[in-house]
């Protein structure tokens, strides 16, 4: 038969010595998750804060950590001061990714 999985959906067919076949579908994912959109929005609540929303190219395996709300591909967190952050995350297949961003100063528009 053919050998070699490709990115995306694949089907593995295994035969025993009697010729019985077992079919095993699987997905090969080697793509690193990335941020495709990052927005920062001023909010007047609690004396002023910045809401950062990140959208990823594929669903993540877990939350981004404390304070991040969302699931799948979109997460939001509120920040009260300017600072550079480095996020580490992984997709559902375990491929790791990182993203660095700097929160804007909290200044009313």
């Amino acid at each position: 038969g053919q050998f070699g999985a490709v990115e995306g959906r694949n089907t593995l067919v295994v035969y025993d010595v009697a010729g019985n076949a077992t079919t095993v579908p699987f997905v090969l994912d080697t793509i690193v998750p990335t941020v495709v959109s990052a927005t920062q929005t001023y909010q007047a609540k609690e004396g002023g804060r910045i809401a950062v929303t990140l959208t990823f190219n594929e669903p993540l395996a877990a939350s981004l950590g404390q304070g991040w709300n969302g699931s799948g591909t979109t997460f939001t967190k509120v920040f009260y001061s300017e600072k550079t952050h480095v996020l580490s995350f992984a997709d559902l297949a375990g491929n790791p990714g990182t993203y660095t961003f700097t929160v804007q100063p909290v200044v009313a528009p």
Side-chain angles (χ1 to χ4, degrees), residues 17-61:
V17 293
N20 299 308
T22 298
T23 302
V24 181
F26 67 95
V27 175
L28 177 62
D29 178 359
T30 61
I31 306 295
V32 174
T34 59
V35 174
V36 294
S37 173
T39 60
Q40 296 191 28
T41 307
Y42 173 82
Q43 296 177 338
K45 296 178 182 180
E46 300 174 15
R49 61 190 192 179
I50 300 292
V52 175
T53 301
L54 303 178
T55 303
F56 295 83
N57 64 329
E58 61 181 313
L60 298 185

Side-chain angles (χ1 to χ4, degrees), residues 14-103:
V14 181
Y15 297 91
D16 65 15
V17 293
N20 299 308
T22 298
T23 302
V24 181
F26 67 95
V27 175
L28 177 62
D29 178 359
T30 61
I31 306 295
V32 174
T34 59
V35 174
V36 294
S37 173
T39 60
Q40 296 191 28
T41 307
Y42 173 82
Q43 296 177 338
K45 296 178 182 180
E46 300 174 15
R49 61 190 192 179
I50 300 292
V52 175
T53 301
L54 303 178
T55 303
F56 295 83
N57 64 329
E58 61 181 313
L60 298 185
S63 174
L64 293 176
Q66 184 177 1
W68 287 97
N69 295 307
S71 63
T73 60
T74 304
F75 296 85
T76 301
K77 183 175 181 178
V78 173
F79 295 89
Y80 294 91
S81 62
E82 180 180 8
K83 185 178 177 184
T84 298
H85 298 270
V86 178
L87 289 176
S88 295
F89 43 84
D91 66 12
L92 298 174
N95 298 312
T98 60
Y99 182 69
T100 302
F101 66 98
T102 301
V103 175

